[in-house]
Amino acid sequence: MEQKYIDASKVLKAISDPKRLKIVDMLSCEELCACNILEAFHITQPTLSHDMKVLNEVKVVLDRREGKNIYYSLNKEYLKVFHHTLGQIFFEKANCICHQDCK
């Protein structure tokens, strides 16, 4: 299997969780402290840490520590690449896999 399909499927799996998708939406506006994200959900801090680790591992979010607080932001450069990859998968193009002989 080509690496682009493997990588894209990992991101899609990570954001397929409704809570994580909402977190991504929240981060689309600005960087947020974990404490602010936590306030939007009825979950524990360890649960949020797990969700953020999943999003971080697939490069969707970046994190930085400032004192005791952790701040999260979207990895916009990676998401541009991911968006382009999905465009290559979802739309026909000159070298489209659908034009290749499947024998």
Side-chain angles (χ1 to χ4, degrees), residues 1 12 16 23 55 69 78 82 89 91-93 95 97:
M1 187 62 57
L12 292 169
S16 69
I23 291 169
L55 292 171
N69 294 320
Y78 180 77
F82 177 67
I89 292 171
F91 299 102
E92 184 177 357
K93 58 252 167 228
N95 63 342
I97 193 170

Side-chain angles (χ1 to χ4, degrees), residues 1 6 9 13 16-17 32-33 37 45 51 53 56-57 63-64 68 79 82 87 101-102:
M1 187 62 57
I6 295 168
S9 69
K13 182 178 179 181
S16 69
D17 177 271
L32 291 172
C33 177
I37 298 170
Q45 187 277 326
D51 287 325
K53 179 182 175 187
N56 187 275
E57 286 176 346
D63 62 349
R64 67 176 183 86
K68 293 182 180 181
L79 289 173
F82 177 67
D101 187 27
C102 294

Side-chain angles (χ1 to χ4, degrees), residues 76-99:
K76 294 190 179 193
E77 290 303 313
Y78 180 77
L79 289 173
K80 285 179 188 176
V81 172
F82 177 67
H83 184 260
H84 176 75
T85 299
L86 289 183
Q88 293 292 311
I89 292 171
F90 290 145
F91 299 102
E92 184 177 357
K93 58 252 167 228
N95 63 342
C96 189
I97 193 170
C98 60
H99 299 301

Side-chain angles (χ1 to χ4, degrees), residues 61-74:
V61 300
L62 301 171
D63 62 349
R64 67 176 183 86
R65 183 173 291 278
E66 190 174 298
K68 293 182 180 181
N69 294 320
I70 299 176
Y71 290 85
Y72 293 98
S73 61
L74 288 184

